[in-house]
């Protein structure tokens, strides 16, 4: 973690290297913003626009990249980015170009893979995992199956997919579970009725959810206790930066509470250093998170999320290949707690991706 002097030295060296060549480079940021038209096919119950940047958040990110010396341009979504790239003149080909993408227009599975796929075809350097990994990690059941296969601790998980129903078996009746949309993040689809005991009414709710969101839902064993996020940075290898605890009402012990969509939307949760956890447990979480990222092929940056039961036993519940880099997110907080600025963090993110570029 970043309190390791050798890791901190590698990060500082990477930041300095990025700032050396940044003034000769153009950074093109592709993202969705809340001011854009509502997505086609958006869900009436919980909108995908929760993942989009506000004008303030976008401005902070663009300014952070500029502080590192980059000439920065913004593209509102994948279509605008691709259209402008195809129109650009040959005189721009000599510019050292870098793309950072968070765009995921539309709804459903695999939607975050378009820009990585396009950049791979065009030979453009990108600060993201490749198209396959970006698509794979958006299917929660497939992620669970891979992580379970390599022996990592995951919450027991099932998949419900109409009209077939349960895929590969069902949870036991009366078991306490939580249901999540298989292709979504930011708690899209996660409402209060998604936590409950397995029975006929719960299964009927699943059928209705699958119809509303037009996708399978995964069902996980409910873990009462703590929730932590482990941001990752790929410097010499994928390494955990910090173990970050989620707080509700100032408490790190969540018990049976979860980050429902309305909690994420209202931003009534907080992040805190995990001072309540032993160093041994934090080291264990870091090791598991690093192994999960390696198993899934995540590169550059990533994040692995856990629930911990009352005894401190960890269970992986979710993964992210493009965690939000806004200052109030767990990724940025993990840097800030170790003495780095927001601009430092953005430079470190680019440096972590740089080592994967074939031509530089």
């Amino acid at each position: 973690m970043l309190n390791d002097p050798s890791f901190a030295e590698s990060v500082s060296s990477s930041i300095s290297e990025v700032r050396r060549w940044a003034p000769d480079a153009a950074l093109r940021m592709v993202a969705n913003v809340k001011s854009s038209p509502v997505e086609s096919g958006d869900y009436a119950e919980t909108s995908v626009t929760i993942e989009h940047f506000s004008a303030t958040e976008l401005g902070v990110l663009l300014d952070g990249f500029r502080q590192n010396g980059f000439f920065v341009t913004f593209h509102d979504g994948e279509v605008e980015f691709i259209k402008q790239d195809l129109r650009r003149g040959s005189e721009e080909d000599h510019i050292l170009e870098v793309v950072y993408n968070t765009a995921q227009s539309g709804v459903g599975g695999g939607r975050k893979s378009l820009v990585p796929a396009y950049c791979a075809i065009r030979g453009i350097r990108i600060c993201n995992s490749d198209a396959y990994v970006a698509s794979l990690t958006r299917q929660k059941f497939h992620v669970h199956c891979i992580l379970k296969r390599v022996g990592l601790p995951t919450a027991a998980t099932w998949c419900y997919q109409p009209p077939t129903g349960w895929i590969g078996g069902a949870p036991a009746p009366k078991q306490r579970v939580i249901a999540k949309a298989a292709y979504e993040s930011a708690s899209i689809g996660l409402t209060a009725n998604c936590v409950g005991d397995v029975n006929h009414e719960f299964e009927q709710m699943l059928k209705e959810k699958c119809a509303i969101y037009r996708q399978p839902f995964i069902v996980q064993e409910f873990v009462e206790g703590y929730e932590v996020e482990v941001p990752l940075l790929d410097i010499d290898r994928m390494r955990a930066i910090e173990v970050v605890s989620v707080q509700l009402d100032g408490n790190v012990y969540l018990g049976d509470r979860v980050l429902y969509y309305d909690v994420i939307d209202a931003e009534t949760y907080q992040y805190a250093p995990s001072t309540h956890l032993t160093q041994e447990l934090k080291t264990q979480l870091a090791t598991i998170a690093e192994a999960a990222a390696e198993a899934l092929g995540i590169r550059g940056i990533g994040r692995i999320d856990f629930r911990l039961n009352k005894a401190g036993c960890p269970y992986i519940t979710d993964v992210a290949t493009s965690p939000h880099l806004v200052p109030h997110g767990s990724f940025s907080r993990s840097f800030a707690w170790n003495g780095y600025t927001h601009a430092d963090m953005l430079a470190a993110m680019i440096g972590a991706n740089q080592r994967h570029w074939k031509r530089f």
Side-chain angles (χ1 to χ4, degrees), residues 49-298:
T49 58
I50 194 172
E51 295 184 303
H52 299 178
F53 292 124
S54 67
T56 299
E57 291 171 332
L58 178 63
V60 168
L61 284 166
L62 296 177
D63 185 59
F65 286 123
R66 291 181 180 119
Q67 287 179 39
N68 285 301
F70 288 99
F71 173 78
V72 182
T73 56
F74 167 66
H75 304 271
D76 187 2
E78 301 92 330
V79 173
E80 179 185 312
F81 164 67
I82 292 171
K83 283 182 176 179
Q84 290 196 22
D85 185 72
L86 291 173
R87 285 198 300 263
R88 68 178 182 169
S90 58
E91 68 277 3
E92 299 179 71
D93 291 342
H94 69 282
I95 298 173
L96 178 56
E97 183 179 50
V98 178
V99 170
Y100 170 60
N101 174 65
T102 67
Q104 45 187 330
S105 302
V107 297
R111 64 181 186 269
K112 211 165 191 175
S113 60
L114 179 57
V115 170
Y118 177 82
C119 288
I121 292 171
R122 296 279 286 178
I124 300 172
R125 301 170 185 87
I126 189 167
C127 294
N128 298 92
S129 290
D130 64 34
Y132 168 72
V133 173
S135 186
L136 165 68
T137 52
R138 296 291 293 203
Q139 221 294 7
K140 292 180 172 63
F141 186 61
H142 296 172
V143 167
H144 162 78
C145 291
I146 292 171
L147 297 181
K148 182 179 179 182
R149 176 64 182 83
V150 299
L152 296 175
T154 59
T157 303
W158 301 266
C159 186
Y160 191 87
Q161 179 175 289
T164 308
W166 296 105
I167 304 296
K174 299 183 180 180
Q175 180 164 356
R176 190 75 170 169
V177 294
I178 181 170
K180 304 174 183 177
Y183 302 145
E184 305 300 341
S185 58
S187 294
I188 294 168
L190 185 57
T191 51
N193 61 344
C194 288
V195 175
D197 298 332
V198 176
N199 53 31
H200 175 74
E201 289 74 19
F202 191 85
E203 190 164 330
Q204 183 61 37
M205 180 276 297
L206 281 175
K207 291 180 182 178
E208 294 170 1
K209 286 280 187 180
C210 290
I212 291 170
Y213 292 93
R214 305 181 296 280
Q215 62 187 279
F217 264 62
I218 67 161
V219 174
Q220 291 179 323
E221 172 188 8
F222 187 79
V223 179
E224 183 176 333
Y226 304 89
E227 185 161 329
V228 301
E229 299 181 359
V230 181
L232 299 154
L233 187 71
D234 189 1
I235 293 294
D236 49 355
R237 60 178 177 83
M238 191 64 86
R239 299 179 66 172
I241 303 166
E242 188 63 79
V243 176
V244 181
S245 286
V246 175
Q247 288 187 140
L248 286 173
D249 300 323
N251 297 314
V252 293
Y253 182 73
L254 304 189
D256 61 358
R257 296 184 297 172
V258 297
L259 299 184
Y260 293 120
Y261 178 90
D262 58 349
V263 174
I264 299 293
D265 190 35
E267 297 185 356
T268 54
Y269 61 99
Q270 308 86 33
Y271 291 113
S274 298
T275 53
H276 63 290
L277 303 180
T278 65
Q279 186 57 49
E280 181 182 11
L281 180 51
K282 287 191 281 189
T283 299
Q284 180 189 11
L285 289 165
T287 300
I288 294 169
E290 290 163 1
E294 181 179 3
L296 296 170
I298 298 173

